[in-house]
Amino acid sequence: MTEKERNDYFYVCSLIEYIARETKNKRGVIASALGLDGLEKQLHDAEVNHCLSFEQVSDELIEQYQIPIGNFDTISDCKYTIPSFLDIGKLYSILIEDCATPGNEVSEMMNIFCSFISDEISNFNTDLYYQNPSYLECSYKEGRLLD
């Protein structure tokens, strides 16, 4: 993966996290609403969109893809410091790079966001998002959190 591609994945993963927080949806709901074509489009547009505010791009995508308000609120009841959407976006981009085979990054992005690991990462009352990326990768591939 080139440095530009890393930056694009980081941006799109952060955008998905941002939209999910704004709409109180699971991250997989956002990825599924965009679909593979929408994810590819956002990756293509990332270099330009990163110059815009996350709020603006988020509002446009929520409207364009008719993303509803959900009830998956991981922020309000959190007892601890909440990682920024950029911190979580970085974590997802690392996970994608570590897990995807070349040429299948977009599909792997969809798989990761729609998997159990995404909901686990979103539980900010745990420290999972601080875990070593290798642990997250192995857990994701195993289909469960490893002991």
Side-chain angles (χ1 to χ4, degrees):
M1 190 178 284
T2 67
E3 192 61 33
K4 181 193 176 308
E5 289 170 328
R6 280 186 194 92
N7 288 334
D8 292 347
Y9 276 91
F10 168 53
Y11 174 82
V12 173
C13 289
S14 298
L15 183 61
I16 290 169
E17 179 69 20
Y18 185 89
I19 293 170
R21 290 181 185 195
E22 288 294 305
T23 61
K24 294 181 172 73
N25 279 298
K26 292 184 176 189
R27 285 59 183 157
V29 169
I30 307 306
S32 294
L34 297 175
L36 292 174
D37 290 341
L39 291 175
E40 288 179 7
K41 178 169 180 11
Q42 293 313 306
L43 288 164
H44 179 268
D45 295 347
E47 193 170 17
V48 173
N49 283 348
H50 86 270
C51 297
L52 305 171
S53 72
F54 275 92
E55 294 88 353
Q56 179 181 349
V57 177
S58 171
D59 287 347
E60 291 171 3
L61 292 179
I62 290 168
E63 183 178 331
Q64 179 180 355
Y65 290 93
Q66 300 177 354
I67 298 171
I69 299 298
N71 60 5
F72 188 70
D73 183 3
T74 60
I75 306 295
S76 297
D77 294 330
C78 189
K79 300 174 187 173
Y80 307 108
T81 302
I82 299 164
S84 75
F85 67 94
L86 294 171
D87 291 336
I88 299 299
K90 185 65 172 173
L91 179 64
Y92 279 115
S93 65
I94 291 168
L95 197 54
I96 292 163
E97 184 172 12
D98 289 349
C99 294
T101 56
N104 292 315
E105 293 88 356
V106 176
S107 294
E108 196 64 49
M109 176 190 279
M110 179 69 80
N111 292 339
I112 289 169
F113 276 112
C114 292
S115 77
F116 82 96
I117 200 77
S118 181
D119 292 348
E120 295 290 341
I121 291 169
S122 297
N123 182 355
F124 301 132
N125 281 317
T126 71
D127 66 348
L128 187 66
Y129 52 89
Y130 287 120
Q131 297 298 318
N132 185 312
S134 296
Y135 170 77
L136 296 174
E137 176 187 352
C138 291
S139 292
Y140 165 69
K141 288 179 176 180
E142 188 67 27
R144 64 180 180 82
L145 292 178
L146 300 175
D147 298 328

